[in-house]
Structure formats: structure tokens, C-alpha cells
Amino acid sequence: APEYTDSQDWAALPGRGDLADEVPKRLPDSAKVYSENELPIDVFFVYPTQYFEGKWWNASLDDEDINDITDNYPMRLQASAFQMGGKLYAPRYRQAHIGVFSWQDSTSYEALELAYADVKAAFQHYLTHWNDGRKIILAGHSQGSWHLRWLLQEFFDGKPLQSQLVAAYLPGIGVSTLDFKNIPLLSTPAATGGFITWNTFKKRIDRSSYDKWYKGKAVVNPVSWTIESVAPKTAHKGFLYFDNHIYPQLFDTHLIDGAIWIDRPKGKFFFLSLTMRNYHIGDINLFWQDIHDNAILRAASFDEK
């Protein structure tokens, strides 16, 4: 089990150089990079599954390969979107094997519960030692969003801590508005105190994934931050690619029942897109600049309440 008093059991902490701190190249002229002490806000980020091979139900915290992959991909390409002037915390946890989402039996559920127990312990440590009444953004992807949904239910929904919640960004899973009693879906760009979720597909939707996980669930367009049907590519602020560059205005973003789909990106991304069944892996970095700017907007709006 992790010891969250030990900094090695965190993928990101304030005041420490982590890959989540890496600043993309070719940022738009309007984009500002804030230091972590400029806004009185905390971000608690839970990364997605990186455990795809192995004989155990849950990953070991000592698996250096998984930790390296986590740091170089979800932390650098996803968590970095939430480095917007506050302090970012991201615990390492004994994530469940990717297969649990396919197997879906009682043991699979226990593997997810074990992973959540780590996330919960990390959040409790954060609350006790670091929060000090600061406002909170929760952010995750896929399995990370799964655990944050439970965290919202246990710590925020109708509880005193809800008064500190700026927003919860929960892409990559199917979330229903019925999952919470007092936490609404946020369907305007500056709204606070609720959650935002989306799942990204091609125009030719991966029906097996869509029908199983997302159809009928909540969704917000991560470009317009509304439930309008289309956000034009001229409004798309930027995709953070593996080369650490931001590429804006790449695609229209269409909202459907429980998900979004985007037009096939042109140029250097065209052939890459041909190999992918859906764009689940890119739920955050496809909209990196959009998310970064929106988190700043919601934080500012929260102060004005």
C-alpha cells in the first residue's frame, strides 16, 4: 500500500519538478502560463489506466515501467492542462488492470475498490495536510474519472466540502446526472460547483464501446462547454501532441447522446487517426488548450460568486 507521507508515492506535488509542469511549445499568444502560487486553488488529478499486461489484478507501485509511462503520457499530456495557477496533486495508486472493465465480475469490482482505497487515502492525506480551505478542482481520465466519481459521492455530494468544489472534470467514462444528488452537470463555460464529462469518437462511431459505456449518459462539448450540437473548428483552441506542440483549429466537435465525435484531423494527424477505433486516449490532450483556459475561467468565476 502507498504511504502518502512519502513523496515517491505521488506522481505530482507542488514545489517539485514533475512532467506535469512541462509547458507546451507554440502556445497561443493569448495563453498565459501561471506559476503554481498565483491562484488560491488546488487540483487533485487521478490518471487513467496504464496497466495493460501482468498477472496481478492491481499494479504495483514499484513497477518502474508503469511509473515512467504514467509520467511521460498522462501526466505530461493530461495533468499539465490543469497547471493553471494553483497547486497540483496527483497520487500514484495501485490501479486496476485494464481487463477489469471487460471482465466485469465480482473480483474485477474488488480490484477497482482496492485502487479507489488508495485514491481515497491520498485525498484524505491531502485534505488533512495541505488543503487548508482552498477551493478544489478534481480532474481525471478513464479509470481516474471512475475513482473521482466515487470520491465526489463520498466527500462532496451534499457535504460541506461541496462548497469548495470549483468543478470536476470526468472525461473517459460514462457518468449519469443520476450518479449525484446535489452535484449538477455544468453546461455553460463559467459555471461552477458541478461536473463536466465527455467521451471522444470518430464520425464512424465505435458502436460496441459507445453502446456499452456512453449512450444515454451525460455529456458536455469540451470546446464550447455547452450542450450545443456543434462547436466549429475555428473555436478549437488546441491539441497537445506528443511533440509537445499545440495545434489549434483542427476539427469541428459534434455533440451526440452521451458522447462527442470530431472530424478527422487533417495534415500530419490524418494517417494516425486511421489506426484508431476511437479517440478515447485523446479525451484530454485533443482539447488541451480548451481545458486549460476553461479551468482558469471557472476558477475566476468561483471567486466572483
Side-chain angles (χ1 to χ4, degrees), residues 197-210:
T197 184
W198 65 92
N199 304 280
T200 315
F201 287 87
K202 298 180 175 184
K203 184 176 183 179
R204 291 189 64 182
I205 293 173
D206 172 6
R207 298 298 310 192
S208 60
S209 177
Y210 170 69

Side-chain angles (χ1 to χ4, degrees), residues 20-39 80-86 246 288-289 292-293 296:
D21 301 322
E22 191 165 323
V23 177
K25 302 172 183 176
R26 286 177 51 182
L27 283 171
D29 292 339
S30 60
K32 179 179 178 182
V33 178
Y34 292 84
S35 73
E36 65 184 21
N37 294 312
E38 289 193 48
L39 296 176
S80 59
F82 299 95
Q83 286 285 29
M84 30 64 71
I246 294 287
W288 190 99
Q289 191 67 52
H292 182 268
D293 292 355
I296 294 171

Side-chain angles (χ1 to χ4, degrees), residues 49-67:
T49 310
Q50 304 301 307
Y51 183 35
F52 303 104
E53 297 180 3
K55 61 182 180 179
W56 308 110
W57 287 90
N58 294 79
S60 168
L61 295 175
D62 298 325
D63 190 318
E64 293 184 2
D65 290 338
I66 290 178
N67 291 342

